[in-house]
Amino acid sequence: MATDIKMPQLSDTMSAGKILTWRVAEGAAVKRGDILAEVETDKANLEIESFFNGTLLKIMVPAGSNAKVGEIIAVIGQPGEAVGTTATPPAAAAAPITPAVSVSAPPPPTSAATSTQSTPLSLVTSQQRVKASPLAKKVAEQLQVNLAGVQGSGPHGRIIRRDVEAAAGEGPAAVATTAAPAPRYSVATPSAAIQTEVTGGTLTPLSRMRETIARRMQESVTTAPHFYVTTSVTMGEAMRLREVLKERAEYKGISINHLVIKAVAYGLKHVPAVNAAMRDGQVYQPNQINIGIITSLDGGLIIPVLKEVDSMSLKDVVFEAKAAIDRARAGRPSSSDLSGGTFSISNMGMFDVENFTAIINPGQGGILAVSSTKQQPVVENGQIVIGHVMKATVSVDHRIIDGVMASTFLKHFKDALEVPALLMA
């Protein structure tokens, strides 16, 4: 019996993908584990693997087309087997967005449009057909200027504010030769409702990754009330541990961030409530501690996820974190790399950042913002000495996580870094 191959959800945020290329041609034999196609998602280019043996009978979504998650993209079966026609037609590839420079959409109608003092319909209609900026149209309506007779001085002959004012006799030239006329419109705000127009610059469409980041971050700040708690961690012992371990082959490439990851897992294990999230109006408590590592890429961010970090040894954290980040930066993350996170870390210590807050990744209840480790005076045994101090701020969803939970988590996190033998257990 033929088997439908559907577009899988390759990351937590994926709703659709674009087939970049098919690695297997129609009619070719397929074995379990073969790569069928390469797909562009909102985060990275990923490969779709076959879980069946047979023949690729039909490609339902050609290369270059989009398909929603769950949509049938191909059919695998036995040679000569009939293929059904139940597949959803592929979505057309999105056309590039080209900003319109010379045409502005008319503003939506308001109650003022029906008042006795509104601009005549013939005037509005003619002004919508000419090349004029929204600001110029607004001023023209206020000054009762018909834009059809105005010569534009902006880019490509576009009419801008000063052209309208000059046509109304209110520009600089008119002011120099006539008495100042009575005001014909009022300004409602101290900074002036009509502002200086910018005629230069460019518009660039957001990349798919940036669109996803913008949508997810707006979703987070509008749905989850963020609450922040900060602590200072003395990092001297953690830095000494790193210096010792980095000489050993099994810890090659160990960094402070690896110690931070392990310390976060230690804190979450002691305060699992911070590892929770709001889901469908209820508190979701996962049975794993899966930590997302926010990683910068050219043009955006990606979050590789380490699974069950609390059960990993420190050397496994070093190896797995480095491998996942390397795959992400090479543009070849596995599908499991980008899903299943329960808590995230944003580390900006390499950028000389003293302190910052991070936005919670939707679907999670908290995120830790890690700053630079800096030398500063600290008190040890009643004496002032120079120490290495790192600030860390946890952002939590205050609907389900309160200040006591957040501060207790930070206490365990701090303990693990200041007494790093706890990280080796």
Side-chain angles (χ1 to χ4, degrees):
M1 181 177 178
T3 301
D4 293 334
I5 306 302
K6 299 180 179 180
M7 175 65 77
Q9 184 171 21
L10 300 172
S11 73
D12 290 334
T13 61
M14 178 180 171
S15 59
K18 179 179 180 181
I19 304 290
L20 295 178
T21 181
W22 282 98
R23 299 283 187 85
V24 180
E26 284 188 3
V30 176
K31 300 191 301 296
R32 181 182 175 87
D34 286 351
I35 302 302
L36 295 177
E38 185 177 356
V39 176
E40 179 187 53
T41 73
D42 54 359
K43 290 185 175 179
N45 295 347
L46 301 172
E47 295 173 335
I48 297 178
E49 178 181 337
S50 174
F51 293 95
F52 307 96
N53 297 321
T55 298
L56 184 62
L57 299 176
K58 181 70 174 177
I59 291 175
M60 309 300 290
V61 179
S65 296
N66 296 332
K68 295 179 180 179
V69 170
E71 183 177 331
I72 299 172
I73 59 174
V75 181
I76 292 178
Q78 298 305 313
E81 190 173 356
V83 177
T85 58
T86 58
T88 304
I97 301 172
T98 304
V101 174
S102 61
V103 180
S104 299
T110 64
S111 59
T114 59
S115 70
T116 57
Q117 298 180 359
S118 59
T119 304
L121 179 61
S122 60
L123 177 59
V124 174
T125 302
S126 66
Q127 293 182 171
Q128 291 171 355
R129 296 172 181 165
V130 299
K131 296 179 180 179
S133 70
L135 179 58
K137 289 182 178 181
K138 182 175 181 179
V139 176
E141 290 178 3
Q142 293 169 333
L143 299 182
Q144 295 293 294
V145 172
N146 190 334
L147 293 179
V150 178
Q151 181 67 38
S153 63
H156 309 287
R158 194 184 196 198
I159 299 171
I160 59 178
R161 174 191 175 188
R162 64 171 176 261
D163 302 325
V164 178
E165 292 178 335
E170 298 212 3
V175 172
T177 57
T178 63
R184 300 173 70 176
Y185 57 91
S186 61
V187 176
T189 63
S191 58
I194 300 177
Q195 301 176 3
T196 302
E197 184 166 352
V198 177
T199 58
T202 61
L203 291 174
T204 304
L206 293 175
S207 65
R208 292 189 67 181
M209 180 178 288
R210 278 294 174 193
E211 283 182 346
T212 300
I213 292 171
R215 173 174 52 81
R216 299 274 289 175
M217 293 302 96
Q218 184 174 19
E219 174 190 343
S220 179
V221 297
T222 55
T223 60
H226 285 48
F227 179 76
Y228 310 99
V229 183
T230 301
T231 192
S232 294
V233 183
T234 302
M235 294 293 291
E237 292 299 321
M239 294 175 71
R240 280 188 281 273
L241 176 64
R242 175 181 174 271
E243 289 299 313
V244 171
L245 294 180
K246 74 177 185 180
E247 302 300 328
R248 303 176 65 90
E250 64 267 37
Y251 290 97
K252 182 180 179 180
I254 187 172
S255 68
I256 292 297
N257 198 45
H258 296 127
L259 302 180
V260 167
I261 293 169
K262 188 63 177 168
V264 165
Y266 181 86
L268 294 176
K269 187 172 184 178
H270 283 80
V271 191
V274 179
N275 195 46
M278 178 72 86
R279 183 173 295 182
D280 299 325
Q282 302 179 69
V283 179
Y284 168 65
Q285 185 68 60
N287 57 12
Q288 296 179 338
I289 294 176
N290 301 337
I291 298 178
I293 309 165
I294 298 180
T295 304
S296 64
L297 302 176
D298 289 341
L301 302 169
I302 196 168
I303 311 179
V305 177
L306 297 189
K307 308 293 174 58
E308 300 182 79
V309 182
D310 56 313
S311 63
M312 283 186 182
S313 67
L314 180 58
K315 67 179 180 181
D316 288 340
V317 168
V318 174
F319 178 83
E320 295 295 340
K322 186 176 186 303
I325 291 172
D326 287 347
R327 287 193 297 269
R329 286 184 169 156
R332 295 290 179 183
S334 68
S335 58
S336 62
D337 284 343
L338 303 180
S339 61
T342 61
F343 188 92
S344 295
I345 299 171
S346 179
N347 190 338
M348 296 180 66
M350 67 291 294
F351 298 115
D352 195 30
V353 173
E354 293 187 2
N355 194 30
F356 73 105
T357 58
I359 298 174
I360 300 168
N361 195 22
Q364 299 176 12
I367 184 172
L368 188 72
V370 180
S371 303
S372 302
T373 299
K374 295 180 174 294
Q375 284 190 322
Q376 64 183 53
V378 297
V379 177
E380 290 185 2
N381 301 320
Q383 301 293 320
I384 297 177
V385 298
I386 300 299
H388 292 84
V389 178
M390 177 189 79
K391 288 187 178 181
T393 299
V394 65
S395 308
V396 296
D397 184 342
H398 210 353
R399 293 175 297 178
I400 58 172
I401 302 170
D402 58 32
V404 172
M405 298 173 187
S407 58
T408 305
F409 159 76
L410 281 184
K411 176 185 181 301
H412 289 290
F413 168 77
K414 178 175 178 173
D415 287 346
L417 289 173
E418 294 187 341
V419 186
L422 297 172
L423 302 178
M424 307 299 292

